[in-house]
Amino acid sequence: MIVILKPEAPEALVKDIVSHIESIGLQAHLSRGQFRTIIGVVGEEEKINPEQLKSLTGVEQVVPIMKPYKLASREFHKEDSVFEIPCPISGSVKIGGPHCLAIAGPCAAEDEEMVHQLAREVVAAGATVLRGGAYKPRTSPYTFQGHGEEALKWLRDAGKANNMPVITEVMDTRHVQVIEQYTDIFQIGARNMQNFNLLFEVGKTRKPVVLKRGLAGSISEWLMSAEYVLSQGNRRVILCERGIKTFETSLRYTLDLSAVPVAKSLSHLPVIVDPSHAAGDRQYVPALARAAIAAGADGFMIECHDCPSKAMCDGPQALLPDTFTHLMKDLTNIASVLGRKFSTTPKP
Ligand code: PEP
Ligand code: MN
């Protein structure tokens, strides 16, 4: 349930209600809007008497949340969530509301020089966050699995050199601590959308989490997965649509663009799109990216490579930096038609 406070409710009342909720073994999550504060009550709600809460001065309404996800729901937080992500040297970038986020980089961090080179190229094109895999979720156990901690260092250093926050995938609860030392954003891959222990672990950190939609995950299941992270107190979850399995086989997956407006109507969390993994073929990536921003996505994640034919993974879908530069111009224009703007890299 949510407890909606009157605009004039004093801070002392907020504290009282929170301690009452916690004293009976439930969790209280605060959502401070522009005009009023909402307290989300999570746990066994039968333990609480809504009438008693309603009778307190300063409480305007006590409303049950019908959806299975609570903290991820629009009911809990009416406005679009806006997150600030600190850059490694100075300033920060924003996502949500009017702010769009451009994430680009290689599928895998292959060696130090390539990571630095690509970081320079994508930041020059207008990307603000550097992506790169250190631990790769490969279909075959015999293919390249990522360079692990060494790759995390290359990513962190390249991020620092260009004042770009870094995002990298975490696949295993045993890696959360080490990855946390290097990354600015955790990525939960499509195959791990319902790895609930992993979601709990990243939820215990205070770094933003990009949560990819599972290959066969419904929107409701995706939001329940976000709830796992949010329930641990980590508020900065960014949803990422990356294509789902359907009967259609012309591309690797089917990019479900309807997921963008649907997820955004059900949830206050930002939603980005990864057209690279959806298409699996660079020829289609620009069109899908343009459509994603037009559909209201809060940003994108795109794979780039200087020599895709030599890429250690996902070469066929990687854009050349030149193509990415042109695409970024289109995406900036499309965003501006919708009254939105891509975050830019703060000058260090
Ligand atoms: C990736 O981003 O490199 C990746 C493997 O993505 P997904 O989990 O969407 O397949
Ligand atoms: Mn990839």
Side-chain angles (χ1 to χ4, degrees):
M1 74 180 62
I2 52 175
V3 183
I4 304 172
L5 302 183
K6 291 186 177 150
E8 69 275 11
E11 199 48 40
L13 176 74
V14 179
K15 276 205 183 129
D16 278 357
I17 299 179
V18 168
S19 33
H20 172 63
I21 292 165
E22 289 174 350
S23 71
I24 48 178
L26 302 178
Q27 284 180 23
H29 295 260
L30 291 185
S31 159
R32 294 186 193 275
Q34 213 181 336
F35 300 110
R36 56 183 84 232
T37 297
I38 291 179
I39 305 175
V41 183
V42 181
E44 293 169 59
E45 288 180 17
E46 312 77 67
K47 287 185 179 168
I48 213 154
N49 177 356
E51 292 310 317
Q52 191 192 341
L53 278 179
K54 242 185 256 174
S55 66
L56 297 173
T57 34
V59 172
E60 186 160 284
Q61 250 186 309
V62 178
V63 191
I65 300 184
M66 295 308 182
K67 304 261 173 16
Y69 41 86
K70 313 282 177 199
L71 304 172
S73 73
R74 271 276 172 201
E75 285 110 309
F76 173 58
H77 191 89
K78 292 242 174 308
E79 299 106 41
D80 288 342
S81 273
V82 178
F83 303 142
E84 205 156 326
I85 303 165
C87 296
I89 303 300
S90 67
S92 62
V93 289
K94 284 185 180 164
I95 180 168
H99 312 281
C100 292
L101 194 64
I103 308 175
C107 176
E110 297 176 11
D111 62 61
E112 187 168 15
E113 181 42 38
M114 82 83 87
V115 175
H116 279 265
Q117 174 69 19
L118 269 168
R120 285 192 291 271
E121 285 162 338
V122 298
V123 81
T128 40
V129 174
L130 176 65
R131 68 147 285 146
Y135 301 87
K136 295 301 303 171
R138 304 307 301 279
T139 304
S140 163
Y142 306 119
T143 49
F144 171 62
Q145 303 284 309
H147 288 299
E149 189 167 355
E150 217 188 348
L152 294 175
K153 290 182 184 155
W154 304 332
L155 286 163
R156 178 202 54 197
D157 293 347
K160 273 194 180 156
N162 297 282
N163 201 23
M164 299 176 89
V166 161
I167 176 169
T168 199
E169 178 165 352
V170 57
M171 296 200 298
D172 190 317
T173 51
R174 292 169 299 184
H175 295 154
V176 171
Q177 269 191 342
V178 64
I179 295 178
E180 191 181 5
Q181 289 169 38
Y182 297 99
T183 199
D184 301 288
I185 307 171
F186 283 110
Q187 175 176 324
I188 300 289
R191 289 152 195 84
N192 276 312
M193 184 194 87
Q194 288 189 313
N195 182 338
F196 300 122
N197 287 333
L198 184 59
L199 298 173
F200 269 144
E201 286 310 307
V202 294
K204 287 179 198 154
T205 74
R206 290 297 173 263
K207 297 229 161 139
V209 176
V210 166
L211 175 62
K212 289 209 173 185
R213 180 178 178 190
L215 315 179
S218 68
I219 294 175
S220 159
E221 287 163 341
W222 190 22
L223 294 173
M224 286 308 297
S225 293
E227 192 77 13
Y228 267 85
V229 179
L230 299 167
S231 71
Q232 300 307 297
N234 188 341
R235 308 291 286 267
R236 289 182 294 171
V237 177
I238 298 163
L239 301 164
C240 179
E241 161 63 36
R242 49 79 69 209
I244 51 174
K245 292 226 183 203
T246 68
F247 56 85
E248 179 53 63
T249 54
S250 14
L251 296 180
R252 206 166 163 197
Y253 299 95
T254 300
L255 183 65
D256 179 13
L257 277 182
S258 54
V260 174
V262 172
K264 284 177 68 77
S265 76
L266 297 172
S267 175
H268 54 92
L269 298 171
V271 180
I272 63 169
V273 167
D274 170 353
S276 305
H277 289 89
D281 180 340
R282 81 177 59 82
Q283 185 185 340
Y284 302 105
V285 169
L288 296 179
R290 291 190 293 260
I293 299 304
D298 298 291
F300 64 79
M301 165 140 72
I302 286 179
E303 289 187 350
C304 296
H305 201 286
D306 282 306
C307 186
S309 60
K310 297 223 173 89
M312 293 174 95
C313 56
D314 285 347
Q317 71 199 33
L319 294 188
L320 286 164
D322 250 10
T323 316
F324 177 66
T325 305
H326 284 112
L327 175 60
M328 192 65 218
K329 290 189 179 125
D330 285 349
L331 301 180
T332 304
N333 287 334
I334 295 169
S336 95
V337 169
L338 299 172
R340 316 195 65 199
K341 210 168 177 295
F342 278 91
S343 272
T344 51
T345 305
K347 292 266 172 292

